[in-house]
Amino acid sequence: MLVFPKDIYRFFATLPTSSPPVFYTLLCWMLLELGAAFVLPSVLDDAHYFSGYVQDKARVSTARFLRGENANIPDPDSGWRNKPNVQLHDWVIDRFGSRSSRPLDLQHKSTPYRAVFFGSSMVNGGEGVTNQQTISAGIESGQVESFNFASMAFSIDQSLLLYRTLADRLQADDVIVGLDADPVEGLYNHYIPLKLREEVGVPYLKPRFALEKDGQLRLIPMDLQWLAQLDQPAAFLDFLRQNDGYYSRLRDYARCDFTPLAHGLCWLHNKAESSLAYMQGAARASDPLLEAVVRRFDAEVKQRNGRLVVMVLPSERMFHWRGVWKYFPDIYALRVQALQAQGVTVLDVRALFRASGKGADELFAADHHHFSAVGNRVVADGLRKQLAR
Amino acid sequence: MNFVTIEYLLFLVAVFVIYWHLKRTAQNVFLLGANWFFYCFWDYRFLSLVMATATIDFIVGRKIDASDDPRVRRNWLLLSLGYNLSALFYFKYCNFFIDSFVTMANGLGWSVSQPLLNIILPAGISFFTFQSLSYSFDIYRREIKPTRSYVEYAAFVSFFPHMVAGPIVRAREFLYQIEVERHFSGKMFEAGLVRFIYGMLKKALIADTLGLYVVDPIFADPSAHSPATLWLGMLAYMVQIYADFSGYTNMAIGSAMMIGFILPENFRYPYLATNISDFWRRWHMTMSRFFRDYIYISLGGNRAGEWKGYRNALLTTLVSGLWHGANWTFVVWGLMHGVFTVVYQYYSRHFKAFQRPGQPVRVLLSWLLTHFLVGIAFVIFRAPDFGVAGEYIAGMFVGQGVQTVELSGLIGVCFLLFVADHVYGWAQERELAWASWSHPLLRGAFYAVALVFLFNFVPKEANPFIYFQF
């Protein structure tokens, strides 16, 4: 059944003579690969690559953002926040920038008890659910009112910074912050497209904290004006080079994104790296910067006689954690343990989901990322019990 | 599994490596498995349809050959015809005819409700049913003998390079290749690889760029665009559909060559045609050939007299239009080409004095007129309905729209590559010396640059191949 096709081996072994066009195609291709991956990046500066790295749609979105035409507006403290008085179909933001389920007044409590939510679109709810189907709406009753300041692509450091600017007016009994499936990435990032080039909807700039040797957090502020100067990014790139943990993505882009072989090799390298990272799940689950930010958040909320509740939000994969994944460290469980060890109140959303007996189809939205209205309801029910304690 | 995807490239490499390490019989079994695997990537639900088509026509072929009784032979042929055309009719045209009937009935004042069926079009049905049908026909006409091997026949019907969008290969062109021992040929591999890369350049760069940035925006709202833009849109669509379909064909032929099979050519620089008959000798040649051999000639061709010849030509192009899709715009497109062909045939038969050779101005005018008519017909072909088509054509002459499209350098490169392709074809047909000159280094550099260019400039939102829908 099997044969040894010596003709093929001979053909490829003697390619320069057996097929000069194929040989020269390969040769020229390899030269182009070398030129694009090694020669050009050493000749051209980063600004040159940056102009191609930032996609056109991201530039348009940035310009709209700076003009105040997006659903988020620039915020010098947290980078951005929800634009007040916006309605996009079922997505309604009130005059305070909160996605509330009913008209509320920040200055005057309408109920004895007030909860205030922070986080990303996972907490905000996104466009997949109505204002009445969010987690924050789910905990409301005659005794409880809630504000939802969660905003797209927010990381927990931004939640803390936004909380600081609002804290004096909040009168919050509980501050509830959602932690996404990977809450660490955002903490080391300033310019969102460096972390994720495809993020053209929220290509914004944020401040971040650095963890000093003495364990103290140091805020690294940013200048939103840099977003208006994407065509002359020298100063911006200097700042990012020094402070953004994802600056190497721009260098990777320069080396890997222009030729197919380099792109394939980089893709394989990244896959191997992320697999290794999963295998080292314990290290990823416990991040000193994340824990320091959570501790600081908790301390600042306590100063105002409130309580911080950290909702750990699972991805669909984390919810199942089956198949090949069960052989890797359970990052979600490790993260919950690591946060509990910080002395903060932690809501294990995966445990709530599993206890609900519902499947992922019901709990997650069609995008397999955000929670559905049913998922939000399960979280809200669990949260209500937590708040009652 | 689209040809311009990493999945297909991996599939092709895997097939190439395994296939050449097998003996002939095992090669054929493996090829059949690979074909079915490829089809399952498109739509596994209809694999049974492909298998049934192959099985029925394999049996019919043997039965026709085994009998000398004309009635028995004809009945078996009718079975094959009935099965293939029924499948085609049901999956492709059922809703179309119900819809047309209901519209007509309501137009006549009868109240008829519309029981539309939820029918999904199996990928490549127009291609594999025709190929299988040609096998029964050819055996009936005693042009070929039936194959003894079901595996070989099924591998022919479902051969992955040509299965989903042609070229339409006849059994007699393929079966003799699969029945014999195949040996790896470096020259054939080289030619196949080069064809494949060139096809990818045409499809992924020229067709997709023009489609995405010029054709789609203009056809989305013709009345808003200026007359000059509409003319540009028509030209861009002519280039797009050629680059898309001939690019696909190149990739199909190239893929087949790498595993030792020769498929028939489907395009021969169609925009060099100087009359409409010439155009059809250059455009989708395997389909033209199929309709000529099995419909035009079956109807009597031009043997039954001049006017019956015109009628047959008209009917053939009408069926060819309907073959393209279940929409009246395709029927009218076919009918228009029928009328153009008949007028041209009448002209060449009765106005010979105007057709003396060596009249470059006449040839130029004829070329311009041919492609103006082809372009107008393509506008109807591309438009979703007659309203948009009418709006488009009227706008080309008396339009009030002012909108234009942004012409980037990339669009210019696409048009330039298309022109270079046809100039090269023109030089080849005239056997000019420079057309056959090619230094291996120059060719190698061209294909390497093409690869890198493709990698960087292929639109992310690529269109599927236009002919996949047929």
Side-chain angles (χ1 to χ4, degrees):
Chain A
M1 197 169 96
L2 290 172
V3 288
F4 179 72
K6 58 176 186 274
D7 292 347
I8 295 183
Y9 289 97
R10 194 183 304 127
F11 174 79
F12 284 106
T14 60
L15 208 53
T17 50
S18 62
S19 178
V22 174
F23 170 72
Y24 283 120
T25 302
L26 288 175
L27 183 71
C28 294
W29 178 21
M30 289 306 116
L31 288 173
L32 287 171
E33 291 276 355
L34 282 173
F38 296 106
V39 181
L40 282 182
S42 60
V43 176
L44 300 173
D45 62 7
D46 288 355
H48 197 91
Y49 285 106
F50 186 73
S51 65
Y53 182 86
V54 180
Q55 302 192 33
D56 289 344
K57 284 182 182 169
R59 287 173 189 275
V60 171
S61 188
T62 305
R64 287 173 55 88
F65 169 66
L66 294 174
R67 290 197 300 266
E69 294 170 8
N70 281 2
N72 314 107
I73 51 171
D75 184 280
D77 298 309
S78 56
W80 65 91
R81 59 188 160 87
N82 294 331
K83 183 179 176 181
N85 299 317
V86 170
Q87 178 164 9
L88 298 168
H89 306 293
D90 290 330
W91 194 80
V92 184
I93 301 295
D94 69 13
R95 61 195 167 111
F96 305 107
S98 161
R99 191 179 189 190
S100 304
S101 65
R102 58 194 167 94
L104 294 171
D105 189 346
L106 202 56
Q107 311 295 342
H108 304 100
K109 277 184 172 177
S110 63
T111 56
Y113 188 89
R114 175 182 282 180
V116 181
F117 286 75
F118 292 94
S120 67
S121 58
M122 299 289 290
V123 177
N124 177 290
E127 288 185 52
V129 294
T130 65
N131 277 33
Q132 285 69 39
Q133 294 170 327
T134 58
I135 299 170
S136 54
I139 66 160
E140 291 196 318
S141 65
Q143 298 297 306
V144 181
E145 67 176 16
S146 71
F147 282 89
N148 184 342
F149 292 102
S151 189
M152 262 87 86
F154 246 42
S155 47
I156 190 169
D157 50 0
Q158 290 172 281
S159 295
L160 170 57
L161 292 166
L162 185 61
Y163 168 75
R164 280 179 184 173
T165 62
L166 297 169
D168 291 341
R169 293 186 290 158
L170 283 181
Q171 307 170 59
D173 298 292
D174 273 310
V175 172
I176 299 147
V177 64
L179 269 192
D180 288 1
D182 193 344
V184 178
E185 276 191 338
L187 297 178
Y188 294 90
N189 176 231
H190 279 289
Y191 186 47
I192 303 296
L194 280 184
K195 181 168 63 107
L196 188 65
R197 187 175 175 229
E198 291 71 32
E199 181 51 90
V200 293
V202 190
Y204 307 151
L205 183 62
K206 61 179 268 297
R208 77 174 187 89
F209 289 102
L211 189 60
E212 298 292 294
K213 284 179 183 159
D214 59 2
Q216 294 300 305
L217 288 174
R218 176 174 61 87
L219 181 66
I220 310 174
M222 44 75 210
D223 183 354
L224 283 171
Q225 278 308 307
W226 283 325
L227 288 181
Q229 297 159 6
L230 292 179
D231 292 331
Q232 293 164 325
F236 184 30
L237 288 178
D238 277 344
F239 168 79
L240 294 175
R241 193 178 296 119
Q242 289 167 32
N243 297 302
D244 198 308
Y246 293 88
Y247 190 79
S248 61
R249 298 266 167 100
L250 182 61
R251 303 304 299 167
D252 291 346
Y253 166 76
R255 278 194 298 272
C256 304
D257 265 45
F258 295 93
T259 47
L261 183 64
H263 186 77
L265 291 175
C266 289
W267 183 83
L268 283 174
H269 175 256
N270 291 341
K271 281 283 163 198
E273 210 171 53
S274 64
S275 301
L276 200 66
Y278 267 113
M279 282 181 233
Q280 298 168 334
R284 271 166 57 98
S286 165
D287 182 82
L289 181 57
L290 173 67
E291 286 153 16
V293 171
V294 169
R295 280 198 306 273
R296 172 71 72 88
F297 208 155
D298 188 48
E300 294 190 18
V301 172
K302 275 180 181 153
Q303 267 179 6
R304 290 181 168 81
N305 301 319
R307 177 178 59 160
L308 180 74
V309 178
V310 180
M311 297 190 292
V312 186
L313 310 172
S315 64
E316 198 172 321
R317 180 189 291 161
M318 286 170 165
F319 166 65
H320 290 301
W321 209 251
R322 64 186 176 195
V324 71
W325 294 105
K326 68 184 177 197
Y327 300 106
F328 288 94
D330 186 350
I331 295 174
Y332 183 91
L334 293 169
R335 182 167 298 132
V336 169
Q337 284 168 17
L339 290 168
Q340 283 168 336
Q342 306 306 311
V344 294
T345 308
V346 175
L347 185 73
D348 182 345
V349 172
R350 183 171 75 174
L352 295 176
F353 276 4
R354 286 180 176 174
S356 74
K358 297 183 192 307
D361 288 352
E362 283 181 276
L363 296 166
F364 286 87
D367 63 6
H368 299 281
H369 177 70
H370 295 92
F371 298 157
S372 65
V374 174
N376 284 344
R377 167 60 59 185
V378 171
V379 181
D381 289 344
L383 196 55
R384 247 197 330 264
K385 287 176 197 158
Q386 181 80 268
L387 299 181
R389 285 179 202 158
Chain B
M1 205 187 315
N2 193 323
F3 279 4
V4 193
T5 56
I6 193 76
E7 288 87 358
Y8 180 73
L9 293 180
L10 292 173
F11 168 79
L12 188 61
V13 170
V15 168
F16 178 83
V17 171
I18 299 170
Y19 174 85
W20 285 118
H21 282 82
L22 298 172
K23 287 185 176 171
R24 190 189 73 85
T25 318
Q27 268 181 341
N28 292 345
V29 174
F30 171 72
L31 195 58
L32 180 60
N35 293 339
W36 287 352
F37 177 80
F38 176 80
Y39 194 79
C40 284
F41 251 82
W42 281 102
D43 199 334
Y44 66 89
R45 292 168 300 178
F46 294 111
L47 181 63
S48 54
L49 182 70
V50 177
M51 289 171 163
T53 302
T55 308
I56 289 172
D57 286 322
F58 176 73
I59 294 167
V60 164
R62 291 178 71 92
K63 293 289 183 190
I64 293 174
D65 188 63
S67 172
D68 286 324
D69 182 344
R71 275 185 53 207
V72 174
R73 290 168 62 82
R74 194 176 60 241
N75 286 342
W76 281 110
L77 178 68
L78 287 174
L79 174 71
S80 170
L81 259 173
Y83 167 74
N84 283 298
L85 295 182
S86 304
L88 196 60
F89 178 85
Y90 176 74
F91 286 108
K92 193 163 175 176
Y93 301 108
C94 209
N95 273 336
F96 170 65
F97 283 114
I98 291 173
D99 185 40
S100 300
F101 173 75
V102 169
T103 308
M104 190 184 74
N106 287 329
L108 292 172
W110 307 333
S111 177
V112 180
S113 63
Q114 195 158 346
L116 272 188
L117 306 171
N118 187 22
I119 302 171
I120 301 162
L121 184 65
I125 189 168
S126 306
F127 292 92
F128 67 75
T129 50
F130 271 34
Q131 279 165 176
S132 202
L133 201 54
S134 79
Y135 173 73
S136 308
F137 257 113
D138 287 351
I139 294 172
Y140 179 75
R141 290 174 173 178
R142 297 190 195 282
E143 289 174 359
I144 56 168
K145 297 294 281 179
T147 177
R148 289 179 187 173
S149 162
Y150 174 74
V151 169
E152 287 169 7
Y153 183 69
F156 153 66
V157 172
S158 58
F159 188 47
F160 71 87
H162 70 62
M163 183 178 197
V164 185
I168 300 172
V169 184
R170 288 183 194 174
R172 75 175 93 151
E173 291 167 324
F174 191 90
L175 287 176
Y176 80 92
Q177 299 185 63
I178 203 168
E179 283 165 357
V180 297
E181 196 82 35
R182 293 175 289 280
H183 298 286
F184 176 80
S185 151
K187 287 292 158 207
M188 205 150 137
F189 171 80
E190 176 192 309
L193 185 66
V194 162
R195 285 290 289 259
F196 190 86
I197 298 174
Y198 189 49
M200 203 150 68
L201 189 72
K202 278 199 211 171
K203 156 64 189 162
L205 185 70
I206 303 178
D208 284 354
T209 302
L210 291 179
L212 202 63
Y213 301 124
V214 183
V215 177
D216 292 351
I218 297 177
F219 272 86
D221 188 6
S223 58
H225 288 87
S226 69
T229 309
L230 295 175
W231 280 92
L232 175 76
M234 182 183 85
L235 290 176
Y237 185 61
M238 290 171 76
V239 176
Q240 184 202 355
I241 193 168
Y242 163 71
D244 189 280
F245 195 15
S246 71
Y248 174 85
T249 304
N250 278 337
M251 282 189 269
I253 293 174
S255 301
M257 285 175 104
M258 285 189 256
I259 50 172
F261 289 94
I262 304 276
L263 299 183
E265 294 295 336
N266 219 11
F267 290 88
R268 197 164 53 78
Y269 308 106
Y271 297 125
L272 293 179
T274 52
N275 60 61
I276 203 75
S277 294
D278 190 18
F279 177 80
W280 280 106
R281 283 191 292 271
R282 295 165 176 272
W283 179 273
H284 204 175
M285 289 146 65
T286 56
M287 183 201 73
S288 311
R289 189 184 64 175
F290 185 92
F291 285 120
R292 183 196 64 206
D293 290 357
Y294 298 111
I295 297 186
Y296 181 70
I297 291 176
S298 297
L299 288 170
N302 57 7
R303 287 165 299 173
E306 184 182 346
W307 291 98
K308 281 192 176 163
Y310 296 152
R311 181 204 63 187
N312 294 341
L314 211 57
L315 279 172
T316 306
T317 52
L318 197 67
V319 174
S320 131
L322 192 60
W323 175 87
H324 278 85
N327 193 331
W328 286 108
T329 52
F330 294 125
V331 177
V332 168
W333 173 79
L335 193 65
M336 283 173 78
H337 273 279
V339 171
F340 300 157
T341 306
V342 166
V343 170
Y344 173 72
Q345 284 177 355
Y346 185 85
Y347 166 80
S348 38
R349 194 184 288 251
H350 296 284
F351 295 87
K352 288 198 166 66
F354 292 100
Q355 298 166 52
R356 285 191 302 273
Q359 295 175 297
V361 175
R362 184 192 62 78
V363 172
L364 182 68
L365 286 177
S366 176
W367 177 79
L368 279 173
L369 179 64
T370 301
H371 296 295
F372 168 72
L373 295 174
V374 166
I376 292 290
F378 268 144
V379 168
I380 293 170
F381 187 92
R382 169 64 177 77
D385 54 55
F386 290 120
V388 173
E391 214 174 83
Y392 196 107
I393 294 168
M396 287 168 67
F397 299 96
V398 291
Q400 302 292 317
V402 290
Q403 206 168 309
T404 55
V405 285
E406 198 181 328
L407 292 177
S408 63
L410 189 60
I411 292 168
V413 168
C414 292
F415 274 113
L416 212 63
L417 281 171
F418 161 74
V419 171
D421 170 84
H422 268 56
V423 167
Y424 179 72
W426 179 83
Q428 260 195 335
E429 287 183 1
R430 277 150 193 80
E431 295 178 347
L432 301 183
W434 64 264
S436 55
W437 180 86
S438 66
H439 192 278
L441 176 60
L442 205 65
R443 287 179 66 190
F446 174 78
Y447 289 115
V449 170
L451 272 176
V452 173
F453 206 75
L454 267 173
F455 182 75
N456 283 286
F457 293 104
V458 168
K460 294 280 184 290
E461 308 90 343
N463 296 313
F465 287 97
I466 293 174
Y467 265 68
F468 280 178
Q469 63 186 298
F470 307 140

